[in-house]
C-alpha cells in the first residue's frame, strides 16, 4: 500500500493518505473541513518498506498526524502518476530516525528501504501544500444538499419552539376545549359510562365530615335512605336552600345561559345558566339527600317559579325553623343586590332600580333568621354583582359591589360563615361564550368539587386529600375554598387583567352531630306566596303574550307562569272578542289596526334575524372593513323599510285607533313603541360598527378572543337615535298610565328598562 502525505489547507495539519486517494474529496479529522488533495504533475517512485508497504519519499514525520477518509464515496479514485525513472532494484539505505514515527509498525529504524528515483516537486514539500482544484458540479450538489439539510433542521427547531411558546401563551384558552375533548375520548374508549351518579363521595373520618351520597328518592326504582342502624354513625344531616334568579323583569339578566356538557356526563349538552343544577348534584355527592335540597328559581330544573319577595321570605323562614340543632344547613343566593341608605337588600325577580325597601328582601332580616336558626353549621354563599362583559347590560345598569354592601355583609351573626363571590368595587363575572357553568365563581366551585372516576375527578380527589380539613365542618366545599378563590382570581387575570377576589366572613359554630338513632333531616319545602285576591286566568295572559310576541329572552317565548300575578278585576275590560289565535287571524282583513300590528311584528322579526351581532376577526383588514360596509348597506335597506312602514302605522292609528277595543289599543301602543325603539337601535348600530370596527379592527386580547360582539350599553351615543329613544319613552309612559295593573303595564315597564345603547366588546365568537 502506497502512503502519501497531504496538508489540510484550513488547519495546516499534515496527513498521511493512501496514494490512490489523491484527487478525491477528503475530510480533515482535526478541523472537520472538506478539501480536495491535488494530483501533482509528477510523483516520484514509491519506496519499498519491508517488501510489502510503500511510502512516498515526501512523507516526513509531521508535527501533527491524523487519519483521513474520502469525503464522497461516489467520486471515482484517481490513480497516482508514477515517474518512469523508478528503479526496479533500488539501493538500500538506513531509515532516518525522524521518519520512523510516521511509518507503519513494520518499518523499523535501521531497516533498508527503497530509495526514490527522483525527488518530489517542491510544491509538495511540508508546509507548502498545493491549492485544491475547484469542485465538480456533482460535488457542489452534494455540498448544497448537506447545507439544505442543516437549514431544514434549524427551521424545524424554530417552528417547534414557536409552537411551544404559543401553547404556553394560549393554554388558559385551550384548556377548556382540551378538557372537553379529553372527556369525550374517555367516554368513547372507556368501558364504563361515567355519570354524575358515579362520583366518588368524600369519606372523612370522625363526626366532622360527610358520608357517602344517597340515592335520589325521586328517581324511578330508587329507595329512600333508610334510618341507620344502631351501630352505624352518620357524619352530618345536611339541608340546603338554593335561590337563583336569571331573567329579572326590569334588571339585567344574570347570565346568558351557556349550553354546557357535564364532565363525564351525557353527550347532549345541558342548560344550566346559574350553575345551581350542577351544584345540586355536587351537594348530593357530598352527602346531602336530594329531598333535603330545595331550589327556588325561575330556571330551576324541577318546578321553576318566579322568586318573588313573599316566596323568598316565607321559604327561607320555614327552612330555618325546620332545621334541628344536629343539622348542617347551606343557603346559596345567585342574583342582584340593591343598596338603600347603607343597607343591603336582595333583589327579587320583579325588583327595579328604584324599588323601595319594602319591595325588597332585607339582608339584615336574612341574617336575623340565620342567627335564630338552631342548626349547628350555617353556611351562606352570596353570588352577587353580576356582569357578563360579552353580553352587555340589556336592562338597568352595571352594578359593581358597593363598598357599603361589603361592610354590611361582613357583619354576620355568631356561628354563620358567609362566602362572598367578589370584593368591593368588583363584579362577579360571567362568560357564557366560554361555556362556563354559571358565573366564574360558581363554575370553579362545580369544577373543583367534581369527583368522578375520570382524570379530572381523580385530580380533584387528590387535591381534596392534600387540602387541610376545615376545622368546624369538613365539607369538601369548605376544604377547597382557598383553591377555588385562587382559581377564580387566576382565571380572570388571564382574561386581560380582570379582578375578582372572593372572600369569607364569619366563623362556623359547633355542636354535636346526629346520633345513630336520630330521624333523618326534614325535607326542604318551597312555600310560594299566597295570593291576596283572585288572579287573572293564565290562559288570558298567555294569549296577550302571544299577540304581542313577548319573549323572556331572545328566542324564548314568555308565559304567564314566569310573570307576577295579575288580578282578575284589573283585566276585566280587556277580554278578547275571539276564542283563540286562529279565530283572530281569520278576522284580520276586517280589522286594519290589528293587521297593522301583526305586519309590524313580522317586519321586526324579519330584520332582527338579519342583524349581525358578532364579527370574526380577519387578518386582512381591508377585507374585514368591506364586511362591515356590507352590514351597513343591509342595515340601510332595513331602516328604509321601517321608516316607510312607520308612515303606514301613523295613518292606521289616525283612522282606526279610536274604534278599537282597549285590548287592541294597548297592543298597538306597545308594538308601536317597540317599532320606534328598533329604528333607534338601527341608527345606534350603524354608528357603533362604523366608528369602532371600521376605524380600528384590532384585537386587544387575541389570546382569549377571536372577534367582537355588539352588546347593549347604558348610554345611547348617536344623536338621532337618542331622539327616537325619547319618542319611544313617551309612548310607553302613556301606556303605563292608561293600563295599570295589566300585562301591558308589565311589558311597557320592561320595554322602557331595555337599553337602546350599544357598544363593541371583544369576545370569543363562533366562526
Amino acid at each position: 500500500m502506497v502512503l502519501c502525505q497531504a496538508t489540510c489547507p484550513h488547519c495546516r495539519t499534515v496527513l498521511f493518505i493512501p496514494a490512490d486517494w489523491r484527487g478525491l474529496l477528503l475530510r480533515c479529522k482535526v478541523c472537520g473541513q472538506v478539501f480536495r488533495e491535488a494530483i501533482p504533475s509528477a510523483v516520484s517512485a514509491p519506496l519499498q518498506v519491508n517488501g510489502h508497504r510503500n511510502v512516498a519519499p515526501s512523507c516526513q514525520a509531521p508535527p501533527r498526524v491524523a487519519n483521513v477518509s474520502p469525503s464522497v464515496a461516489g467520486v471515482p479514485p484517481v490513480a497516482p502518476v508514477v515517474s518512469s525513472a523508478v528503479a526496479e532494484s533500488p539501493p538500500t539505505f538506513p531509515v532516518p530516525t525522524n521518519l520512523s514515527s510516521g511509518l507503519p509498525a513494520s518499518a523499523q529504524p535501521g531497516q533498508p528501504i527503497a530509495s526514490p528515483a527522483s525527488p518530489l516537486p517542491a510544491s509538495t514539500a511540508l508546509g507548502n501544500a498545493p491549492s485544491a482544484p475547484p469542485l465538480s458540479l456533482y460535488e457542489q450538489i452534494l455540498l448544497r444538499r448537506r447545507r439544505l439539510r442543516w437549514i431544514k433542521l434549524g427551521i424545524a427547531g424554530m417552528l417547534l419552539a414557536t409552537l411551544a411558546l404559543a401553547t404556553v401563551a394560549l393554554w388558559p384558552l385551550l384548556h377548556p376545549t382540551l378538557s372537553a375533548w379529553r372527556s369525550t375520548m374517555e367516554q368513547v374508549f372507556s368501558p364504563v359510562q361515567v355519570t354524575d351518579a358515579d362520583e366518588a363521595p368524600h369519606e372523612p373520618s370522625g363526626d366532622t365530615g360527610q358520608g357517602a351520597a344517597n340515592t335520589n328518592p325521586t328517581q324511578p326504582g330508587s329507595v329512600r335512605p333508610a334510618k341507620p342502624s344502631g351501630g352505624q354513625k352518620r357524619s352530618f344531616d345536611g339541608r340546603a336552600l338554593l335561590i337563583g334568579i336569571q331573567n329579572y323583569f326590569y334588571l339585567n339578566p344574570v347570565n346568558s345561559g351557556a349550553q354546557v356538557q357535564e364532565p363525564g356526563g351525557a353527550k347532549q349538552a345541558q342548560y344550566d345558566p346559574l350553575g345551581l343544577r350542577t351544584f345540586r348534584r355536587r351537594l348530593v355527592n357530598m352527602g346531602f339527600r336530594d329531598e333535603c335540597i330545595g331550589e327556588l328559581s325561575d330556571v330551576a330544573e324541577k318546578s321553576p317559579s318566579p322568586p318573588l319577595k313573599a316566596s323568598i321570605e316565607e321559604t327561607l323562614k320555614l327552612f330555618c325553623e325546620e332545621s334541628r340543632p344536629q343539622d348542617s344547613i347551606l343557603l346559596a343566593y345567585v342574583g342582584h343586590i340593591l343598596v338603600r341608605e347603607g343597607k343591603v337588600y336582595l333583589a327579587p325577580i320583579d325588583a327595579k332600580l328604584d324599588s323601595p325597601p319594602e319591595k325588597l328582601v332585607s339582608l339584615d332580616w336574612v341574617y336575623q333568621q340565620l342567627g335564630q336558626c338552631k342548626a349547628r353549621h350555617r353556611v351562606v354563599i352570596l353570588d352577587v354583582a353580576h356582569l357578563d362583559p360579552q353580553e352587555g347590560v340589556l336592562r338597568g345598569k352595571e352594578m359593581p359591589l358597593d363598598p357599603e354592601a361589603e361592610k354590611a355583609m361582613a357583619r354576620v351573626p355568631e356561628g354563620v360563615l358567609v362566602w362572598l363571590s367578589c370584593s368591593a368595587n368588583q363584579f362577579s363575572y360571567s362568560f357564557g361564550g366560554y361555556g362556563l357553568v354559571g358565573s366564574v365563581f360558581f363554575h370553579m366551585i362545580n369544577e373543583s368539587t367534581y369527583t368522578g372516576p375520570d382524570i379530572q375527578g381523580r385530580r380533584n380527589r387528590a387535591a381534596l386529600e392534600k387540602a387541610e380539613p376545615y376545622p368546624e365542618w369538613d365539607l369538601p366545599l369548605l376544604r377547597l375554598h382557598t383553591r377555588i378563590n385562587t382559581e377564580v382570581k387566576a382565571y380572570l387575570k388571564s382574561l386581560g387583567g380582570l379582578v375578582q377576589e372572593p372572600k369569607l366572613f364569619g366563623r362556623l359554630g359547633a355542636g354535636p352531630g346526629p346520633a345513630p338513632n336520630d330521624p333523618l333531616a326534614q325535607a326542604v319545602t318551597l312555600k310560594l306566596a299566597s295570593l291576596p285576591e283572585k288572579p287573572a286566568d293564565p290562559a288570558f295572559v298567555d294569549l296577550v303574550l302571544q299577540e304581542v310576541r313577548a319573549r323572556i329572552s331572545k328566542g324564548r317565548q314568555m308565559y304567564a307562569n314566569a310573570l307576577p300575578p295579575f288580578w282578575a278585576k284589573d283585566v276585566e275590560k280587556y277580554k278578547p272578542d275571539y276564542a283563540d289565535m286562529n279565530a283572530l287571524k281569520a278576522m284580520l282583513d276586517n280589522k286594519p289596526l290589528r293587521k297593522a300590528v301583526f305586519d309590524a311584528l313580522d317586519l321586526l322579526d324579519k330584520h332582527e334575524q338579519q342583524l349581525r351581532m358578532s364579527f370574526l376577526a380577519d387578518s386582512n383588514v381591508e377585507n374585514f372593513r368591506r364586511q362591515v360596509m356590507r352590514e351597513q348597506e343591509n342595515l340601510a335597506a332595513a331602516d328604509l323599510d321601517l321608516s316607510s312602514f312607520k308612515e303606514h302605522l301613523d295613518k292606521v292609528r289616525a283612522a282606526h285607533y279610536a274604534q278599537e277595543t282597549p285590548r287592541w289599543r294597548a297592543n298597538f301602543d306597545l308594538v308601536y313603541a317597540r317599532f320606534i325603539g328598533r329604528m333607534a337601535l338601527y341608527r345606534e348600530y350603524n354608528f357603533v360598527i362604523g366608528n369602532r370596527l371600521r376605524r380600528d379592527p384590532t384585537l386587544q386580547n387575541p389570546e382569549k378572543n377571536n372577534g367582537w360582539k355588539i352588546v347593549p350599553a347604558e348610554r345611547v351615543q348617536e344623536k338621532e337615535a337618542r331622539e327616537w329613544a325619547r319618542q319611544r319613552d313617551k309612548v310607553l309612559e302613556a301606556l303605563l298610565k292608561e293600563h295599570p295593573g295589566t300585562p301591558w303595564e308589565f311589558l311597557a315597564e320592561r320595554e322602557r328598562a331595555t337599553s337602546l345603547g350599544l357598544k363593541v366588546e371583544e369576545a370569543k365568537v363562533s366562526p
Side-chain angles (χ1 to χ4, degrees):
M1 179 179 182
V2 179
L3 296 179
C4 298
Q5 72 178 15
T7 303
C8 175
H10 302 282
C11 65
R12 313 305 299 173
T13 301
V14 178
L15 310 168
F16 284 96
I17 62 173
D20 55 358
W21 284 12
R22 286 185 176 273
L24 300 180
L25 283 177
L26 306 176
R27 183 187 299 277
C28 179
K29 292 291 185 168
V30 177
C31 65
Q33 298 294 328
V34 177
F35 66 95
R36 182 193 296 276
E37 173 61 18
I39 302 176
S41 58
V43 181
S44 59
L47 303 178
Q48 184 71 26
V49 181
N50 288 342
H52 61 86
R53 300 191 70 176
N54 298 328
V55 180
S58 61
C59 296
Q60 301 179 8
R64 291 188 297 169
V65 180
N67 295 326
V68 295
S69 59
S71 176
V72 182
V75 179
V78 180
V81 179
V82 182
S83 173
S84 60
V86 176
E88 295 183 0
S89 300
T92 61
F93 61 92
V95 178
T97 58
N98 62 345
L99 187 62
S100 60
S101 61
L103 294 176
S106 59
Q108 300 297 329
Q111 296 288 336
I113 62 173
S115 174
S118 62
L120 289 172
S123 60
T124 61
L126 183 63
N128 190 20
S131 60
L135 300 179
S136 65
L137 178 61
Y138 176 71
E139 293 165 344
Q140 293 177 13
I141 293 174
L142 292 179
L143 289 176
R144 188 179 298 111
R145 288 179 179 176
R146 186 178 296 111
R147 295 191 190 100
L148 288 176
R149 182 170 67 251
W150 285 106
I151 292 174
K152 291 178 181 178
L153 290 175
I155 293 175
M158 288 189 293
L159 290 177
L160 290 175
T162 303
L163 181 61
L165 293 175
T167 303
V168 172
L170 299 177
W171 179 249
L173 182 62
L174 297 175
H175 179 65
T177 304
L178 294 177
S179 299
W181 176 82
R182 182 182 60 196
S183 300
T184 303
M185 292 298 100
E186 289 177 353
Q187 295 173 30
V188 173
F189 296 105
S190 176
V192 180
Q193 183 67 25
V194 181
T195 61
D196 256 340
D198 296 327
E199 289 190 26
H202 176 56
E203 297 181 358
S205 59
D207 60 353
T208 59
Q210 98 275 2
N214 294 299
T215 307
N216 184 355
T218 62
Q219 295 178 351
S222 61
V223 181
R224 181 183 177 89
K227 185 176 180 179
S229 60
Q232 184 179 0
K233 187 176 181 179
R234 302 200 304 272
S235 58
F236 75 95
D237 281 351
R239 306 179 75 236
L241 176 60
L242 313 179
I243 303 175
I245 308 171
Q246 182 198 18
N247 299 302
Y248 276 91
F249 296 155
Y250 312 114
L251 299 179
N252 198 48
V254 167
N255 187 275
S256 60
Q259 297 289 335
V260 299
Q261 181 172 349
E262 183 71 18
K267 293 183 179 180
Q268 186 175 2
Q270 299 180 5
Y271 178 71
D272 190 8
L274 301 179
L276 292 180
R277 300 180 186 180
T278 305
F279 185 60
R280 181 188 187 113
R281 294 194 291 271
R282 298 291 184 266
L283 292 178
V284 169
N285 286 281
M286 291 181 199
F288 288 78
R289 290 167 38 233
D290 188 75
E291 65 268 28
C292 290
I293 304 175
E295 185 177 0
L296 178 61
S297 173
D298 60 322
V299 290
E301 193 169 11
K302 303 174 183 178
S303 304
S305 58
L308 301 170
K309 170 184 167 66
S311 300
I312 295 175
E313 291 180 343
E314 294 184 17
T315 300
L316 179 58
K317 184 177 180 180
L318 181 63
F319 174 75
C320 293
E321 290 176 350
E322 292 180 344
S323 298
R324 307 167 303 172
Q326 64 267 38
D327 290 340
S328 301
I329 66 171
L330 184 146
L331 171 65
Y333 172 77
V334 180
H336 291 304
I337 60 170
L338 297 171
V339 180
R340 298 287 185 269
E341 298 179 355
K343 294 186 177 181
V344 181
Y345 296 87
L346 308 184
I349 194 170
D350 57 345
K352 304 176 184 178
L353 287 176
D354 56 352
S355 293
E358 56 269 17
K359 292 189 177 182
L360 306 174
V361 180
S362 172
L363 181 66
D364 292 340
W365 178 86
V366 174
Y367 278 179
Q368 180 183 2
Q369 297 298 315
L370 292 171
Q372 297 173 356
C373 181
K374 299 177 181 179
R376 58 173 181 147
H377 297 147
R378 288 158 287 175
V379 177
V380 181
I381 300 177
L382 296 175
D383 189 8
V384 297
H386 292 269
L387 177 66
D388 189 336
Q390 297 181 357
E391 295 296 328
V393 180
L394 180 62
R395 287 181 291 274
K397 64 178 183 179
E398 293 183 357
M399 295 185 292
L401 185 63
D402 192 289
E404 295 296 327
E406 182 183 355
K407 294 179 182 179
M409 293 177 178
R411 296 191 290 266
V412 298
E414 184 69 25
V416 177
L417 180 69
V418 175
W419 196 353
L420 186 59
S421 61
C422 59
S423 301
N425 299 316
Q426 297 177 2
F427 292 101
S428 177
Y429 286 100
S430 302
F431 291 93
Y434 292 162
L436 302 185
V437 185
S439 66
V440 175
F441 175 67
F442 248 100
H443 178 81
M444 295 304 175
I445 288 178
N446 292 328
E447 286 289 298
S448 299
T449 54
Y450 173 75
T451 55
D454 58 359
I455 295 177
Q456 180 182 349
R458 291 195 293 270
R459 290 176 179 173
N460 288 344
R461 289 198 298 273
L464 188 63
E465 293 174 358
K466 294 180 181 179
E468 296 183 1
Y470 202 80
E472 293 81 15
W473 186 13
D474 190 19
L475 190 70
L477 178 65
L478 299 178
R479 180 183 282 200
L480 297 173
H481 78 276
T482 302
R483 176 191 176 190
I484 293 171
N485 292 349
T486 302
E487 289 182 350
V488 170
K489 291 188 288 186
Y491 182 82
L492 288 166
K493 185 178 180 180
S494 68
L495 297 178
L498 299 177
V499 179
Q500 179 181 340
E501 299 179 358
K503 289 185 176 180
L504 260 69
F505 301 112
R507 184 173 181 178
L508 283 176
N517 294 324
D518 284 348
L520 296 175
Q522 181 73 26
V524 176
T525 303
L526 302 181
K527 190 174 182 181
L528 303 182
S530 57
L531 301 179
E533 53 185 290
K534 182 180 178 181
D537 186 2
F540 167 85
V541 179
D542 284 336
L543 186 58
V544 172
L545 299 177
Q546 291 181 45
E547 291 170 358
V548 296
R549 299 181 191 176
R551 297 183 176 93
I552 194 70
S553 61
K554 188 173 182 179
R556 295 179 58 200
Q557 178 67 33
M558 185 181 293
Y559 295 99
N561 59 1
L563 304 183
F566 303 101
W567 313 125
K569 62 180 182 61
D570 293 332
V571 298
E572 184 68 27
K573 64 178 182 179
Y574 297 95
K575 290 183 178 180
D577 53 359
Y578 43 87
D580 51 25
M581 288 294 294
N582 292 329
L584 171 62
K585 292 179 180 179
M587 65 171 63
L588 290 182
D589 292 338
N590 299 324
K591 300 289 184 179
L593 188 136
R594 302 184 188 186
K595 187 176 186 306
V597 169
F598 280 97
D599 291 342
L601 291 173
D602 291 338
L603 189 60
L604 291 177
D605 290 344
K606 170 188 173 182
H607 291 302
E608 182 181 19
Q609 297 175 359
Q610 297 176 353
L611 200 61
R612 183 176 177 182
M613 303 303 290
S614 62
F615 291 84
L616 189 66
D618 193 338
S619 57
N620 189 331
V621 176
E622 293 303 323
N623 183 47
F624 181 81
R625 286 174 174 165
R626 284 193 292 269
Q627 295 181 32
V628 176
M629 289 181 64
R630 283 195 295 269
E631 293 299 325
Q632 290 181 301
E633 292 171 358
N634 296 335
L635 189 65
D639 185 71
L640 181 61
D641 288 347
L642 294 183
S643 300
S644 301
F645 196 81
K646 181 182 177 299
E647 297 178 359
H648 173 67
L649 289 177
D650 292 335
K651 294 178 181 179
V652 171
R653 179 187 179 90
H656 304 283
Y657 185 84
Q659 292 79 22
E660 268 294 355
T661 62
R663 180 190 186 99
W664 276 97
R665 288 201 298 268
N667 281 346
F668 182 89
D669 289 342
L670 181 65
V671 174
Y672 186 75
R674 192 185 301 171
F675 200 89
I676 296 176
R678 182 65 62 83
M679 295 177 65
L681 187 68
Y682 282 1
R683 284 162 173 76
E684 178 76 357
Y685 179 91
N686 182 66
F687 177 83
V688 167
I689 66 173
N691 283 271
R692 173 62 177 88
L693 294 183
R694 281 185 59 186
R695 180 176 297 178
D696 184 21
T698 304
L699 287 173
Q700 302 299 322
N701 189 7
E703 294 81 7
K704 295 294 181 183
N705 304 312
N706 62 347
W708 298 269
K709 279 187 175 182
I710 313 300
V711 300
E714 298 179 38
R715 189 175 66 89
V716 180
Q717 304 180 53
E718 207 271 336
K719 182 178 179 180
E720 191 174 359
R722 288 197 295 268
E723 181 60 32
W724 284 115
R726 282 192 287 268
Q727 293 188 27
R728 181 202 68 163
D729 291 343
K730 290 180 180 179
V731 176
L732 292 175
E733 289 173 3
L735 183 62
L736 291 171
K737 293 179 181 179
E738 294 176 8
H739 308 281
T742 65
W744 294 275
E745 181 193 30
F746 165 79
L747 295 173
E749 187 68 43
R750 180 180 172 88
E751 194 75 28
R752 189 173 64 169
T754 302
S755 174
L756 296 176
L758 294 174
K759 63 180 179 179
V760 178
E761 287 286 347
E762 288 189 11
K764 181 181 179 182
V765 300
S766 301

